[in-house]
Amino acid sequence: MALLSKKDTNLILDPLADNNPITIQVLGICSALAITAELKASLVMAISVIFVMGVGNVVISLLRNVIPSKIRIIAQLIVVATLVIVVDQVLKAFAYELSKTLSVFVGLIITNCIIMGRFEAFALGNGVWRSFLDGIGNALGYGVILVIIGFFRELLGSGTLFGIPVLGDPIAKTGLYSIGYENNGFMIIPPAALIVVGIIIWVQRSRNPALVEEN
Amino acid sequence: MAINTDKNGYTIFFAIIMVVVVGSVLAFLASGLSERIKENERFEKQQNILYAMGVNENTPDSGVNFIPTDVVEEKFNEKIKEQYILINGEIKKDDQAFALDVKKQIAAFKSGKEAKLPIFVGEKEGEEIYVLPMYGKGLWDAIWGFISVNKNMVVQGVYFDHKGETAGLGANIKLRFFMDDFIGESLLDGNSYSGITVSKTNNDPLNEDKEDNEVDAIAGSTITGNGVTAMIKETLKAYKPYLETIRTK
């Protein structure tokens, strides 16, 4: 017997492409703009969101029959804020260097619309296992886009990947810089992320015209 | 029997239970991890102080490489010979200077209250080096660090850090290309403490001119650079009584 049914597999795979939370649902844009100037920050943010969203969906699914509807948003916020504090404290205790890189960004997870969106749209109405898969799938979909944006922004903006120079030394003019290439400072500021997201959306929809909305 | 979750009484009961459970989980976590977190913070501070006095594992082409965490305590005790505090213009030996909260002490100094300013005296290659903590304001939030000088007020090294400067722009003050530029600069211009200005007009990418009291700014991070300049000048103002004593030693 396969571990995952076809429906379960789709919960993981759909958000990676045809139902991506960033490029199709246009959620989580704020954090995608804020943290993608460096690839390392993008990757660790993605991992943190996978944890928060996977566990958060499980908790909300477990509590779905006992959460009062009047305060369900507050209850969801408490769950996500608690998980974010747990991630922050555990990173500070066991991965201190990483926690410093991410200090501001981990807090930003609380404001991530995708998490509240999945709690509200899926975990409140589905069982624990499927909610877990939905959380992991959506967080992976978010993470993939973050890593793609981080890759282009850091490469074109700073000439590095994970902080390692890959295009040469811009001060001593080695590598690509020796033939006149310059780092594009615009890529480091948040609006550049919007342009990269726009290009990803364009590529995705031109490859799959079914994703294009009709007017 | 299904629970009626719409009743006001139930809603209040649920909210109270949730707050108690979440509070307990977080309190348990915080108390369980606090020792480890404090230890990490202590090692970080030791690494930063040693880095500022030029004790690190940098190679010519590497980034910022601190003394590894597992040996930093031992190295710190070996390199830092004395700790002092500067209080009301008087210098006192105090082995607990390391434990002082620099942020609070510098805030007290700026507001004219009594402040205990820590000083670390190290030794490197037979020369005494004086490490001073700094605290200031960048574009978005706090910036801080350490600066080390010899008795001639020539900078031996710096370490800068920040809370939330823009990634790829102001956040680059903690990268080696910027921090290395300070090495060899003088805090003195003639006989006065002029500090070091992060200048957009220095126009010296490799920073070979060490007599101009200027280092090159990072493009796109003017306000963070101005914050660094102001932080160094404030530090000089605070520590001037101590610096005068070591100059005339």
Side-chain angles (χ1 to χ4, degrees):
Chain A
M1 195 178 78
L3 182 64
L4 298 176
S5 67
K6 192 165 181 258
K7 248 181 173 178
D8 290 346
T9 312
N10 286 344
L11 286 174
I12 297 270
L13 296 182
D14 273 358
L16 290 178
D18 292 350
N19 197 18
N20 190 282
I22 294 185
T23 59
I24 305 297
Q25 298 169 32
V26 198
L27 293 173
I29 293 287
C30 326
S31 57
L33 302 189
I35 60 141
T36 49
E38 290 164 352
L39 187 53
K40 185 178 166 191
S42 305
L43 193 66
V44 183
M45 180 73 165
I47 293 167
S48 305
V49 170
I50 289 171
F51 168 79
V52 171
M53 221 156 145
V55 179
N57 259 15
V58 167
V59 173
I60 294 295
S61 177
L62 281 170
L63 296 175
R64 68 189 187 280
N65 294 323
V66 293
I67 296 177
S69 58
K70 288 177 200 163
I71 59 164
R72 71 182 194 289
I73 299 290
I74 297 172
Q76 289 165 14
L77 265 176
I78 290 173
V79 170
V80 72
T82 306
L83 289 169
V84 167
I85 295 170
V86 169
V87 170
D88 189 43
Q89 293 290 302
V90 170
L91 283 176
K92 271 186 184 154
F94 299 104
Y96 191 69
E97 272 304 304
L98 213 55
S99 80
K100 286 191 65 205
T101 315
L102 281 184
S103 58
V104 183
F105 310 138
V106 168
L108 268 177
I109 297 174
I110 298 174
T111 67
N112 193 319
C113 331
I114 301 171
I115 297 177
M116 294 296 284
R118 294 326 292 171
F119 285 178
E120 188 74 4
F122 199 91
L124 274 178
N126 286 280
V128 174
W129 175 237
R130 299 197 69 214
S131 297
F132 174 72
L133 294 178
D134 179 78
I136 299 291
N138 276 279
L140 280 172
Y142 168 78
V144 164
I145 301 297
L146 240 61
V147 168
I148 294 172
I149 303 171
F151 174 85
F152 286 110
R153 286 185 70 192
E154 186 177 342
L155 183 69
L156 301 176
S158 308
T160 59
L161 287 175
F162 289 111
I164 301 162
V166 291
L167 300 183
D169 184 344
I171 294 174
K173 301 287 176 198
T174 62
L176 275 185
Y177 304 100
S178 63
I179 53 168
Y181 178 79
E182 294 284 342
N183 285 335
N184 186 345
F186 175 72
M187 292 304 287
I188 287 170
I189 58 176
L194 266 185
I195 291 176
V196 180
V197 172
I199 292 171
I200 296 170
I201 291 175
W202 173 52
V203 170
Q204 196 179 12
R205 287 171 198 225
S206 61
R207 284 170 58 91
N208 183 1
L211 297 174
V212 180
E213 295 92 351
E214 285 176 22
N215 288 323
Chain B
M1 194 179 76
I3 309 165
N4 182 357
T5 59
D6 287 335
K7 280 186 178 172
N8 287 342
Y10 176 80
T11 303
I12 292 166
F13 172 75
F14 181 87
I16 292 169
I17 294 293
M18 189 152 195
V19 167
V20 170
V21 170
V22 166
S24 308
V25 168
L26 292 181
F28 179 74
L29 187 79
S31 63
L33 298 178
S34 70
E35 276 307 306
R36 213 185 155 93
I37 293 173
K38 273 184 196 159
E39 191 180 65
N40 284 337
E41 286 168 352
R42 190 175 77 243
F43 290 155
E44 183 199 10
K45 198 169 173 182
Q46 290 174 341
Q47 284 173 324
N48 294 350
I49 291 172
L50 289 176
Y51 191 90
M53 61 179 282
V55 180
N56 52 55
E57 298 216 331
N58 287 352
T59 59
D61 299 324
S62 75
V64 172
N65 288 343
F66 296 110
I67 297 292
T69 312
D70 52 342
V71 292
V72 69
E73 191 132 46
E74 190 189 328
K75 198 81 173 171
F76 184 81
N77 294 333
E78 178 195 322
K79 292 285 177 186
I80 299 295
K81 301 293 178 193
E82 306 282 358
Q83 296 183 37
Y84 295 94
I85 54 168
L86 179 64
I87 178 165
N88 291 331
E90 285 188 24
I91 301 139
K92 290 179 184 167
K93 203 168 171 180
D94 189 332
D95 289 342
Q96 297 305 307
F98 181 82
L100 287 170
D101 183 340
V102 173
K103 179 184 174 183
K104 274 187 192 163
Q105 300 303 327
I106 290 183
F109 173 80
K110 282 181 184 169
S111 58
K113 294 177 189 156
E114 184 181 275
K116 291 178 177 173
L117 302 168
I119 298 155
F120 306 96
V121 181
E123 193 182 293
K124 196 183 156 201
E125 292 157 12
E127 187 182 29
E128 272 198 343
I129 296 177
Y130 311 92
V131 187
L132 312 174
M134 305 182 282
Y135 203 90
K137 193 177 175 309
L139 170 60
W140 303 112
D141 214 314
I143 54 173
W144 60 89
F146 295 90
I147 186 166
S148 75
V149 290
N150 64 9
K151 64 176 288 197
N152 300 320
M153 299 297 111
V154 174
V155 176
Q156 304 299 302
V158 293
Y159 180 73
F160 298 122
D161 206 343
H162 64 94
K163 189 172 178 189
E165 296 308 288
T166 315
L169 297 173
N172 287 356
I173 58 168
K174 62 184 293 187
L175 296 188
R176 199 172 152 193
F177 79 92
F178 181 67
M179 294 195 290
D180 278 2
D181 282 358
F182 287 78
I183 300 171
E185 294 282 343
S186 175
L187 294 180
L188 293 173
D189 185 7
N191 215 20
S192 68
Y193 290 89
S194 65
I196 298 164
T197 302
V198 177
S199 167
K200 290 205 289 184
T201 57
N202 193 17
N203 203 22
D204 177 11
L206 295 174
N207 201 45
E208 285 157 345
D209 184 1
K210 298 288 184 187
E211 303 299 318
D212 58 358
N213 297 92
E214 287 185 351
V215 295
D216 272 319
I218 300 166
S221 56
T222 306
I223 296 175
T224 309
N226 291 345
V228 170
T229 304
M231 179 167 76
I232 293 172
K233 286 187 193 295
E234 283 287 338
T235 305
L236 285 180
K237 209 162 110 186
Y239 283 96
K240 199 175 168 188
Y242 177 70
L243 296 174
E244 280 296 305
T245 63
I246 59 175
R247 272 183 73 202
T248 52
K249 242 182 186 182

